[in-house]
Amino acid sequence: MLHTAPRRSSGRRAASQEDSRSHQQSRLRILDGLRPLAALMVLAYHFITLRDGWGRDPGTFSTPVYHMSEYGYLGVEVFFLISGFVICMSAWGRSLGEFIASRVSRLYPAYWAAILLTTTVLTVYPKVRGPGGWETVLTNFTMLQQGLGVPDVDDSYWTLFVELKFYVLFAIIISTGVTYRICVMFCGIWTVAGVASLKAHDGLLSFWAISPYSPYFIAGIAFYLMHRFRPTALLWAIVMVSFTLAQHYAQGRLKMNLGAKAEWTPDWPARLIILLAFVIMAGISLGWFDTVQWRWLTISGSITYPLYLLHMYIGFTLIGLLRDQLPAPAVLLITLAALMALSWAVYRFVERPLGHRMRSALTKSMQEIRYSS
């Protein structure tokens, strides 16, 4: 039996499937717009706050810009909020095989291209750091290197392993059938597990609970349930608990990213950014942005994933090559423009064609497993 919550419109059936799909696509427009914003936050943190590319603290930027960039690491948390929403939405009505084919074909083509390009750049210009040995590079192609204790070719890849763990957990839900009740139970159990893992001293529980980041995935799922059905007290309670936990981890995340500087860096901007991210996601779930249908949001969102994968050490290398020839703002603009052009090329010539072929091949393989069992 399919368990559902009351739809937004009471006293009659919900809108047709066609209207529902159109409604969800309008949500995706604004979500596509959030992705590049989150990516630019991360880029600002890496290229302005960190000294890797500059060889020194990049003090040539204005003090307000420098201090604002210190909180750019929270773009990762924004990505996780979006991911909870989008994964729950994309998994609804899909089989486990379809979900696996969709995720693998989405994640790996651009990721493989990023590894090859980053390794090439770091081999030719090892000024910032080397690419690591061949075993490190080959292991990175699996996206499982963190679980095996192997370094990332690019440090920004750490978030992908967090995403993979979320996908595995949600795949369990998909295997049982995605319903409103199951999703709510999943959010509750994961929340409890995340809190318990802090004191349980259980490595396996901590590994899967992903405590500092799970509140964002969980809140994203709850926001999608509001979007698909309607807001309820229970869903708001899930969101508020997740928000409270996110605020609890804010100070630790500040120390993780700023190190000793966190001692004299105020944490209120980080807490405010987290609040704004939750408010925007609440607005998306409640329909505040339904009229936002700008196509350029989808276009900009399409290159965000390769931009995130490519930006860090290729960007550091470009900054290192240009820093003594041009003013820092010019170096930053040229680096950003080059990375966006490269990201578009990866999306256009690798991610789209290879992803389509992979998805078709994997879908066919999953169907063969189903029919032969």
Side-chain angles (χ1 to χ4, degrees):
M1 179 179 176
L2 179 64
H3 303 289
T4 61
R7 297 276 181 171
R8 294 175 188 243
S9 40
S10 58
R12 59 185 178 83
R13 288 187 176 274
S16 67
Q17 290 184 353
E18 182 178 352
D19 291 339
S20 178
R21 281 195 296 270
S22 175
H23 187 59
Q24 291 179 17
Q25 287 172 1
S26 71
R27 295 290 196 266
L28 285 174
R29 294 281 191 191
I30 190 62
L31 288 175
D32 283 338
L34 282 181
R35 288 190 179 101
L37 177 61
L40 289 174
M41 289 173 63
V42 176
L43 265 66
Y45 168 70
H46 286 157
F47 293 162
I48 299 178
T49 300
L50 303 185
R51 59 182 298 173
D52 296 63
W54 304 98
R56 60 189 181 278
D57 286 333
T60 51
F61 293 101
S62 68
T63 300
V65 170
Y66 180 81
H67 287 309
M68 286 175 61
S69 73
E70 290 180 315
Y71 304 97
Y73 65 87
L74 287 166
V76 169
E77 276 79 346
V78 177
F79 277 129
F80 291 158
L81 256 177
I82 296 170
S83 184
F85 189 104
V86 171
I87 293 304
C88 188
M89 176 171 64
S90 63
W92 211 280
R94 279 185 173 174
S95 67
L96 180 59
E98 290 170 335
F99 176 75
I100 293 173
S102 171
R103 289 297 92 199
V104 169
S105 62
R106 175 72 178 92
L107 288 181
Y108 278 91
Y111 174 69
W112 289 335
I115 291 175
L116 291 174
L117 289 167
T118 301
T119 301
T120 300
V121 169
L122 295 181
T123 300
V124 175
Y125 299 103
K127 189 172 184 177
V128 179
R129 82 169 196 186
W134 64 268
E135 185 178 352
T136 294
V137 174
L138 288 178
T139 304
N140 268 248
F141 275 94
T142 67
M143 208 181 285
L144 303 175
Q145 61 271 13
Q146 287 189 33
L148 299 172
V150 175
D152 294 309
V153 168
D154 188 302
D155 290 348
S156 64
Y157 297 168
W158 73 268
T159 62
L160 301 179
F161 196 59
V162 175
E163 285 274 349
L164 281 180
K165 287 191 278 188
F166 168 51
Y167 295 164
V168 171
L169 292 174
F170 207 78
I172 299 172
I173 304 304
I174 297 171
S175 66
T176 65
V178 183
T179 65
Y180 182 96
R181 179 181 295 179
I182 292 294
C183 286
V184 169
M185 290 175 60
F186 174 75
C187 290
I189 292 170
W190 196 6
T191 299
V192 172
V195 174
S197 69
L198 300 177
K199 297 294 184 181
H201 304 293
D202 186 311
L204 184 62
L205 180 61
S206 298
F207 180 84
W208 289 106
I210 331 173
S211 297
Y213 313 110
S214 58
Y216 298 95
F217 293 114
I218 293 167
I221 293 170
F223 281 132
Y224 175 67
L225 294 177
M226 292 184 191
H227 157 63
R228 184 178 179 89
F229 301 101
R230 65 177 178 84
T232 66
L234 179 58
L235 293 178
W236 281 119
I238 292 172
V239 167
M240 291 308 300
V241 170
S242 297
F243 173 74
T244 303
L245 291 173
Q247 293 287 346
H248 172 75
Y249 297 125
Q251 183 64 35
R253 284 284 288 150
L254 189 71
K255 292 179 180 178
M256 183 188 304
N257 286 276
L258 297 185
K261 289 195 296 183
E263 296 297 327
W264 61 83
T265 303
D267 64 359
W268 68 262
R271 299 184 184 280
L272 179 60
I273 291 170
I274 293 170
L275 173 62
L276 289 174
F278 271 73
V279 169
I280 291 171
M281 290 300 297
I284 292 171
S285 68
L286 297 175
W288 296 352
F289 306 103
D290 281 0
T291 58
V292 177
Q293 291 295 310
W294 305 321
R295 289 183 60 85
W296 64 267
L297 291 177
T298 301
I299 296 170
S300 64
S302 65
I303 69 167
T304 300
Y305 180 52
L307 177 62
Y308 178 81
L309 294 172
L310 292 164
H311 81 274
M312 193 169 184
Y313 280 101
I314 294 178
F316 286 158
T317 301
L318 286 171
I319 290 171
L321 292 171
L322 298 173
R323 68 191 184 196
D324 296 327
Q325 281 73 43
L326 296 168
V331 171
L332 195 59
L333 288 175
I334 292 171
T335 299
L336 181 59
L339 287 170
M340 292 182 69
L342 184 60
S343 301
W344 179 86
V346 168
Y347 167 73
R348 176 64 180 83
F349 299 110
V350 178
E351 183 179 353
R352 237 176 34 173
L354 183 56
H356 178 73
R357 293 176 184 175
M358 283 185 65
R359 185 168 185 170
S360 298
L362 287 170
T363 300
K364 183 178 179 180
S365 298
M366 295 297 177
Q367 289 173 346
E368 290 176 352
I369 293 173
R370 185 189 309 167
Y371 296 147
S372 62
S373 60

